[in-house]
Amino acid sequence: MDKRFTIVGIRPAPLPAEPPKSRLRLPPLPAVVLAIIVLGCLCCDFFLPKDPAYLDLYHANTAPNAEFWFGTDTMGRDIFSMIWHGGRLSLLIGFLSTFISTAIAVLFGTAGGIAPGWLDKLLTRVAEVFLSVPSLLLVIFLQAILGHAGVLSLSIAIGVTGWMGIAKVVRTEVRRLRESEFILAARCMGGGFFHNLWVHFLPNIFPSILFMVVMNIRGAIAAESTLSFLGLGLPLEIISWGSMLSLAERGLLSGAWWMVLIPGAFLVITLLCITELGEQLRQTADRQ
């Protein structure tokens, strides 16, 4: 045996490194900007310089200056105060309509995922029929049925027409989970539909649909603004970002650029921040 070498035995193989756990990392700038906008809308009563509903006709169509930081609209209302005050209604409509659409999607998708084949096909065709119709037309149709446009009626109209995409994902996840051992054990122990949905299905499917839920908030805010711009949303006396943009035509005709640019910039920045947040959630879900 060559004395230059020494047999020291078999070295144990190194343990495989555990894959790093994916953590939710929010994009810094969009998260900070969105937090400032949301907190500013919620706490605006503490720092608003003027009453957002006060009609100061003497200062109508006033450009931004030291007194009116963002100018005034055609009725003399302070745009700075209106943006922060109206943002609360726009965000409320976004969250409320998303809650409605998510609840419908979870119930519909879970029912289709655990239903027999013929019923699952029927529910899938119903969802495809709703998907084939433009959502804006459905919102206008439901709003016409509900009557006078308000925060609740508009939220219901937007929420009832925005559940189909989430329902398809829920159905796929439920079909993947329905043969799991803990689901079978719950059924054997007498667990009903809503018990299994709340205790077993929902905690497992919610991370998969979180991205779509966030994007639904963005879509609801954009839908409210679009309807108000078309004159089908909230009336002018109810201040929201959409109702402010409904005055865009008058602002453009009168050369009051601040009536269009500033509220539009707030709306676009909010939607972009929500989009970045949703994209980060999607990437985090893909890494898991």
Side-chain angles (χ1 to χ4, degrees), residues 159-183:
V160 170
T161 58
W163 55 269
M164 290 79 71
I166 301 178
K168 295 182 68 174
V169 177
V170 171
R171 172 188 171 274
T172 302
E173 292 295 317
V174 170
R175 292 184 67 84
R176 180 179 62 86
L177 293 171
R178 67 178 183 178
E179 300 301 331
S180 301
E181 294 181 356
F182 62 94
I183 298 295

PDB file of all heavy atoms in Angstrom, residues 159-183:
ATOM      1  N   GLY A 159     -69.508  43.308  -8.418  1.00  0.00           N
ATOM      2  CA  GLY A 159     -69.129  42.050  -7.794  1.00  0.00           C
ATOM      3  C   GLY A 159     -69.783  40.843  -8.428  1.00  0.00           C
ATOM      4  O   GLY A 159     -69.145  39.797  -8.608  1.00  0.00           O
ATOM      5  N   VAL A 160     -71.052  40.961  -8.814  1.00  0.00           N
ATOM      6  CA  VAL A 160     -71.775  39.827  -9.392  1.00  0.00           C
ATOM      7  C   VAL A 160     -71.236  39.474 -10.777  1.00  0.00           C
ATOM      8  O   VAL A 160     -71.397  38.338 -11.239  1.00  0.00           O
ATOM      9  CB  VAL A 160     -73.285  40.152  -9.452  1.00  0.00           C
ATOM     10  CG1 VAL A 160     -74.064  39.132 -10.259  1.00  0.00           C
ATOM     11  CG2 VAL A 160     -73.847  40.220  -8.044  1.00  0.00           C
ATOM     12  N   THR A 161     -70.566  40.402 -11.430  1.00  0.00           N
ATOM     13  CA  THR A 161     -70.066  40.153 -12.790  1.00  0.00           C
ATOM     14  C   THR A 161     -68.567  39.874 -12.832  1.00  0.00           C
ATOM     15  O   THR A 161     -68.010  39.760 -13.926  1.00  0.00           O
ATOM     16  CB  THR A 161     -70.357  41.370 -13.683  1.00  0.00           C
ATOM     17  OG1 THR A 161     -69.734  42.533 -13.120  1.00  0.00           O
ATOM     18  CG2 THR A 161     -71.845  41.625 -13.787  1.00  0.00           C
ATOM     19  N   GLY A 162     -67.911  39.724 -11.689  1.00  0.00           N
ATOM     20  CA  GLY A 162     -66.459  39.555 -11.714  1.00  0.00           C
ATOM     21  C   GLY A 162     -65.960  38.296 -11.039  1.00  0.00           C
ATOM     22  O   GLY A 162     -64.806  38.263 -10.593  1.00  0.00           O
ATOM     23  N   TRP A 163     -66.784  37.238 -10.953  1.00  0.00           N
ATOM     24  CA  TRP A 163     -66.413  36.048 -10.193  1.00  0.00           C
ATOM     25  C   TRP A 163     -65.933  34.892 -11.070  1.00  0.00           C
ATOM     26  O   TRP A 163     -65.379  33.907 -10.563  1.00  0.00           O
ATOM     27  CB  TRP A 163     -67.615  35.556  -9.389  1.00  0.00           C
ATOM     28  CG  TRP A 163     -68.843  35.308 -10.219  1.00  0.00           C
ATOM     29  CD1 TRP A 163     -69.826  36.199 -10.499  1.00  0.00           C
ATOM     30  CD2 TRP A 163     -69.193  34.095 -10.886  1.00  0.00           C
ATOM     31  NE1 TRP A 163     -70.785  35.624 -11.290  1.00  0.00           N
ATOM     32  CE2 TRP A 163     -70.425  34.329 -11.542  1.00  0.00           C
ATOM     33  CE3 TRP A 163     -68.603  32.836 -10.981  1.00  0.00           C
ATOM     34  CZ2 TRP A 163     -71.055  33.341 -12.306  1.00  0.00           C
ATOM     35  CZ3 TRP A 163     -69.236  31.849 -11.732  1.00  0.00           C
ATOM     36  CH2 TRP A 163     -70.450  32.113 -12.383  1.00  0.00           C
ATOM     37  N   MET A 164     -66.116  34.954 -12.387  1.00  0.00           N
ATOM     38  CA  MET A 164     -65.923  33.778 -13.233  1.00  0.00           C
ATOM     39  C   MET A 164     -64.479  33.300 -13.275  1.00  0.00           C
ATOM     40  O   MET A 164     -64.202  32.093 -13.194  1.00  0.00           O
ATOM     41  CB  MET A 164     -66.417  34.078 -14.653  1.00  0.00           C
ATOM     42  CG  MET A 164     -67.917  34.219 -14.756  1.00  0.00           C
ATOM     43  SD  MET A 164     -68.535  35.829 -14.194  1.00  0.00           S
ATOM     44  CE  MET A 164     -67.963  36.899 -15.499  1.00  0.00           C
ATOM     45  N   GLY A 165     -63.528  34.227 -13.410  1.00  0.00           N
ATOM     46  CA  GLY A 165     -62.129  33.813 -13.480  1.00  0.00           C
ATOM     47  C   GLY A 165     -61.652  33.142 -12.201  1.00  0.00           C
ATOM     48  O   GLY A 165     -60.948  32.119 -12.232  1.00  0.00           O
ATOM     49  N   ILE A 166     -62.031  33.704 -11.057  1.00  0.00           N
ATOM     50  CA  ILE A 166     -61.637  33.100  -9.778  1.00  0.00           C
ATOM     51  C   ILE A 166     -62.309  31.742  -9.603  1.00  0.00           C
ATOM     52  O   ILE A 166     -61.704  30.797  -9.073  1.00  0.00           O
ATOM     53  CB  ILE A 166     -61.996  34.040  -8.616  1.00  0.00           C
ATOM     54  CG1 ILE A 166     -61.292  35.385  -8.767  1.00  0.00           C
ATOM     55  CG2 ILE A 166     -61.630  33.413  -7.275  1.00  0.00           C
ATOM     56  CD1 ILE A 166     -61.626  36.381  -7.677  1.00  0.00           C
ATOM     57  N   ALA A 167     -63.562  31.610 -10.047  1.00  0.00           N
ATOM     58  CA  ALA A 167     -64.280  30.344  -9.883  1.00  0.00           C
ATOM     59  C   ALA A 167     -63.594  29.211 -10.640  1.00  0.00           C
ATOM     60  O   ALA A 167     -63.558  28.065 -10.154  1.00  0.00           O
ATOM     61  CB  ALA A 167     -65.721  30.508 -10.363  1.00  0.00           C
ATOM     62  N   LYS A 168     -63.027  29.487 -11.806  1.00  0.00           N
ATOM     63  CA  LYS A 168     -62.348  28.436 -12.560  1.00  0.00           C
ATOM     64  C   LYS A 168     -61.108  27.956 -11.830  1.00  0.00           C
ATOM     65  O   LYS A 168     -60.819  26.750 -11.790  1.00  0.00           O
ATOM     66  CB  LYS A 168     -61.981  28.961 -13.949  1.00  0.00           C
ATOM     67  CG  LYS A 168     -63.181  29.296 -14.817  1.00  0.00           C
ATOM     68  CD  LYS A 168     -62.762  29.757 -16.200  1.00  0.00           C
ATOM     69  CE  LYS A 168     -62.141  28.628 -16.988  1.00  0.00           C
ATOM     70  NZ  LYS A 168     -61.849  29.019 -18.382  1.00  0.00           N
ATOM     71  N   VAL A 169     -60.371  28.871 -11.216  1.00  0.00           N
ATOM     72  CA  VAL A 169     -59.190  28.468 -10.452  1.00  0.00           C
ATOM     73  C   VAL A 169     -59.600  27.682  -9.208  1.00  0.00           C
ATOM     74  O   VAL A 169     -58.973  26.666  -8.863  1.00  0.00           O
ATOM     75  CB  VAL A 169     -58.357  29.712 -10.073  1.00  0.00           C
ATOM     76  CG1 VAL A 169     -57.162  29.317  -9.216  1.00  0.00           C
ATOM     77  CG2 VAL A 169     -57.890  30.444 -11.321  1.00  0.00           C
ATOM     78  N   VAL A 170     -60.656  28.125  -8.529  1.00  0.00           N
ATOM     79  CA  VAL A 170     -61.137  27.415  -7.340  1.00  0.00           C
ATOM     80  C   VAL A 170     -61.573  26.001  -7.710  1.00  0.00           C
ATOM     81  O   VAL A 170     -61.259  25.029  -6.990  1.00  0.00           O
ATOM     82  CB  VAL A 170     -62.296  28.194  -6.688  1.00  0.00           C
ATOM     83  CG1 VAL A 170     -62.949  27.373  -5.591  1.00  0.00           C
ATOM     84  CG2 VAL A 170     -61.793  29.514  -6.115  1.00  0.00           C
ATOM     85  N   ARG A 171     -62.281  25.861  -8.802  1.00  0.00           N
ATOM     86  CA  ARG A 171     -62.722  24.522  -9.235  1.00  0.00           C
ATOM     87  C   ARG A 171     -61.532  23.602  -9.480  1.00  0.00           C
ATOM     88  O   ARG A 171     -61.540  22.428  -9.071  1.00  0.00           O
ATOM     89  CB  ARG A 171     -63.557  24.649 -10.508  1.00  0.00           C
ATOM     90  CG  ARG A 171     -63.906  23.310 -11.154  1.00  0.00           C
ATOM     91  CD  ARG A 171     -64.565  23.492 -12.502  1.00  0.00           C
ATOM     92  NE  ARG A 171     -64.711  22.236 -13.200  1.00  0.00           N
ATOM     93  CZ  ARG A 171     -63.769  21.700 -13.963  1.00  0.00           C
ATOM     94  NH1 ARG A 171     -62.596  22.323 -14.107  1.00  0.00           N
ATOM     95  NH2 ARG A 171     -63.969  20.542 -14.572  1.00  0.00           N
ATOM     96  N   THR A 172     -60.502  24.116 -10.142  1.00  0.00           N
ATOM     97  CA  THR A 172     -59.325  23.295 -10.410  1.00  0.00           C
ATOM     98  C   THR A 172     -58.640  22.857  -9.122  1.00  0.00           C
ATOM     99  O   THR A 172     -58.240  21.692  -8.971  1.00  0.00           O
ATOM    100  CB  THR A 172     -58.340  24.078 -11.290  1.00  0.00           C
ATOM    101  OG1 THR A 172     -58.989  24.469 -12.507  1.00  0.00           O
ATOM    102  CG2 THR A 172     -57.119  23.232 -11.628  1.00  0.00           C
ATOM    103  N   GLU A 173     -58.494  23.781  -8.168  1.00  0.00           N
ATOM    104  CA  GLU A 173     -57.847  23.447  -6.907  1.00  0.00           C
ATOM    105  C   GLU A 173     -58.682  22.464  -6.083  1.00  0.00           C
ATOM    106  O   GLU A 173     -58.132  21.557  -5.445  1.00  0.00           O
ATOM    107  CB  GLU A 173     -57.596  24.726  -6.098  1.00  0.00           C
ATOM    108  CG  GLU A 173     -56.553  25.645  -6.703  1.00  0.00           C
ATOM    109  CD  GLU A 173     -55.181  25.013  -6.704  1.00  0.00           C
ATOM    110  OE1 GLU A 173     -54.803  24.393  -5.696  1.00  0.00           O
ATOM    111  OE2 GLU A 173     -54.481  25.117  -7.735  1.00  0.00           O
ATOM    112  N   VAL A 174     -59.993  22.623  -6.105  1.00  0.00           N
ATOM    113  CA  VAL A 174     -60.857  21.719  -5.342  1.00  0.00           C
ATOM    114  C   VAL A 174     -60.812  20.313  -5.922  1.00  0.00           C
ATOM    115  O   VAL A 174     -60.774  19.318  -5.178  1.00  0.00           O
ATOM    116  CB  VAL A 174     -62.299  22.266  -5.308  1.00  0.00           C
ATOM    117  CG1 VAL A 174     -63.262  21.230  -4.748  1.00  0.00           C
ATOM    118  CG2 VAL A 174     -62.356  23.522  -4.461  1.00  0.00           C
ATOM    119  N   ARG A 175     -60.799  20.197  -7.243  1.00  0.00           N
ATOM    120  CA  ARG A 175     -60.700  18.870  -7.860  1.00  0.00           C
ATOM    121  C   ARG A 175     -59.372  18.198  -7.530  1.00  0.00           C
ATOM    122  O   ARG A 175     -59.281  16.967  -7.463  1.00  0.00           O
ATOM    123  CB  ARG A 175     -60.884  18.985  -9.372  1.00  0.00           C
ATOM    124  CG  ARG A 175     -62.293  19.381  -9.793  1.00  0.00           C
ATOM    125  CD  ARG A 175     -62.431  19.392 -11.302  1.00  0.00           C
ATOM    126  NE  ARG A 175     -62.307  18.059 -11.855  1.00  0.00           N
ATOM    127  CZ  ARG A 175     -63.295  17.181 -11.953  1.00  0.00           C
ATOM    128  NH1 ARG A 175     -64.509  17.504 -11.507  1.00  0.00           N
ATOM    129  NH2 ARG A 175     -63.112  16.004 -12.484  1.00  0.00           N
ATOM    130  N   ARG A 176     -58.334  19.006  -7.333  1.00  0.00           N
ATOM    131  CA  ARG A 176     -57.041  18.439  -6.953  1.00  0.00           C
ATOM    132  C   ARG A 176     -57.035  17.970  -5.497  1.00  0.00           C
ATOM    133  O   ARG A 176     -56.360  16.996  -5.153  1.00  0.00           O
ATOM    134  CB  ARG A 176     -55.945  19.484  -7.170  1.00  0.00           C
ATOM    135  CG  ARG A 176     -54.547  19.024  -6.803  1.00  0.00           C
ATOM    136  CD  ARG A 176     -53.539  20.133  -7.079  1.00  0.00           C
ATOM    137  NE  ARG A 176     -53.795  21.311  -6.274  1.00  0.00           N
ATOM    138  CZ  ARG A 176     -53.330  21.467  -5.034  1.00  0.00           C
ATOM    139  NH1 ARG A 176     -52.608  20.506  -4.459  1.00  0.00           N
ATOM    140  NH2 ARG A 176     -53.585  22.576  -4.370  1.00  0.00           N
ATOM    141  N   LEU A 177     -57.804  18.652  -4.647  1.00  0.00           N
ATOM    142  CA  LEU A 177     -57.775  18.357  -3.214  1.00  0.00           C
ATOM    143  C   LEU A 177     -58.855  17.386  -2.763  1.00  0.00           C
ATOM    144  O   LEU A 177     -58.756  16.847  -1.655  1.00  0.00           O
ATOM    145  CB  LEU A 177     -57.938  19.659  -2.414  1.00  0.00           C
ATOM    146  CG  LEU A 177     -56.806  20.681  -2.504  1.00  0.00           C
ATOM    147  CD1 LEU A 177     -57.240  21.983  -1.848  1.00  0.00           C
ATOM    148  CD2 LEU A 177     -55.541  20.155  -1.834  1.00  0.00           C
ATOM    149  N   ARG A 178     -59.879  17.163  -3.569  1.00  0.00           N
ATOM    150  CA  ARG A 178     -61.050  16.445  -3.061  1.00  0.00           C
ATOM    151  C   ARG A 178     -60.768  14.983  -2.739  1.00  0.00           C
ATOM    152  O   ARG A 178     -61.516  14.378  -1.964  1.00  0.00           O
ATOM    153  CB  ARG A 178     -62.188  16.542  -4.072  1.00  0.00           C
ATOM    154  CG  ARG A 178     -61.954  15.818  -5.384  1.00  0.00           C
ATOM    155  CD  ARG A 178     -63.159  15.951  -6.283  1.00  0.00           C
ATOM    156  NE  ARG A 178     -62.987  15.208  -7.521  1.00  0.00           N
ATOM    157  CZ  ARG A 178     -63.923  15.120  -8.474  1.00  0.00           C
ATOM    158  NH1 ARG A 178     -65.076  15.746  -8.298  1.00  0.00           N
ATOM    159  NH2 ARG A 178     -63.710  14.423  -9.564  1.00  0.00           N
ATOM    160  N   GLU A 179     -59.724  14.393  -3.319  1.00  0.00           N
ATOM    161  CA  GLU A 179     -59.386  13.007  -3.005  1.00  0.00           C
ATOM    162  C   GLU A 179     -58.291  12.910  -1.956  1.00  0.00           C
ATOM    163  O   GLU A 179     -57.764  11.808  -1.729  1.00  0.00           O
ATOM    164  CB  GLU A 179     -58.947  12.278  -4.287  1.00  0.00           C
ATOM    165  CG  GLU A 179     -60.003  12.234  -5.372  1.00  0.00           C
ATOM    166  CD  GLU A 179     -61.285  11.542  -4.927  1.00  0.00           C
ATOM    167  OE1 GLU A 179     -61.185  10.644  -4.055  1.00  0.00           O
ATOM    168  OE2 GLU A 179     -62.366  11.876  -5.428  1.00  0.00           O
ATOM    169  N   SER A 180     -57.929  14.015  -1.319  1.00  0.00           N
ATOM    170  CA  SER A 180     -56.908  13.977  -0.275  1.00  0.00           C
ATOM    171  C   SER A 180     -57.452  13.242   0.950  1.00  0.00           C
ATOM    172  O   SER A 180     -58.659  13.162   1.174  1.00  0.00           O
ATOM    173  CB  SER A 180     -56.488  15.400   0.106  1.00  0.00           C
ATOM    174  OG  SER A 180     -55.987  16.086  -1.020  1.00  0.00           O
ATOM    175  N   GLU A 181     -56.515  12.720   1.739  1.00  0.00           N
ATOM    176  CA  GLU A 181     -56.913  11.908   2.882  1.00  0.00           C
ATOM    177  C   GLU A 181     -57.691  12.715   3.917  1.00  0.00           C
ATOM    178  O   GLU A 181     -58.666  12.232   4.494  1.00  0.00           O
ATOM    179  CB  GLU A 181     -55.668  11.287   3.531  1.00  0.00           C
ATOM    180  CG  GLU A 181     -54.955  10.283   2.631  1.00  0.00           C
ATOM    181  CD  GLU A 181     -53.752   9.669   3.320  1.00  0.00           C
ATOM    182  OE1 GLU A 181     -53.444  10.091   4.456  1.00  0.00           O
ATOM    183  OE2 GLU A 181     -53.133   8.776   2.724  1.00  0.00           O
ATOM    184  N   PHE A 182     -57.274  13.954   4.164  1.00  0.00           N
ATOM    185  CA  PHE A 182     -57.980  14.728   5.186  1.00  0.00           C
ATOM    186  C   PHE A 182     -59.385  15.116   4.725  1.00  0.00           C
ATOM    187  O   PHE A 182     -60.299  15.261   5.534  1.00  0.00           O
ATOM    188  CB  PHE A 182     -57.175  15.970   5.583  1.00  0.00           C
ATOM    189  CG  PHE A 182     -56.947  16.952   4.455  1.00  0.00           C
ATOM    190  CD1 PHE A 182     -57.793  18.022   4.269  1.00  0.00           C
ATOM    191  CD2 PHE A 182     -55.868  16.801   3.596  1.00  0.00           C
ATOM    192  CE1 PHE A 182     -57.588  18.936   3.252  1.00  0.00           C
ATOM    193  CE2 PHE A 182     -55.647  17.710   2.579  1.00  0.00           C
ATOM    194  CZ  PHE A 182     -56.511  18.778   2.395  1.00  0.00           C
ATOM    195  N   ILE A 183     -59.594  15.264   3.408  1.00  0.00           N
ATOM    196  CA  ILE A 183     -60.932  15.548   2.909  1.00  0.00           C
ATOM    197  C   ILE A 183     -61.811  14.306   3.034  1.00  0.00           C
ATOM    198  O   ILE A 183     -62.969  14.379   3.475  1.00  0.00           O
ATOM    199  CB  ILE A 183     -60.870  16.031   1.457  1.00  0.00           C
ATOM    200  CG1 ILE A 183     -60.076  17.343   1.355  1.00  0.00           C
ATOM    201  CG2 ILE A 183     -62.271  16.223   0.899  1.00  0.00           C
ATOM    202  CD1 ILE A 183     -60.707  18.502   2.057  1.00  0.00           C
TER     203      ILE A 183
END
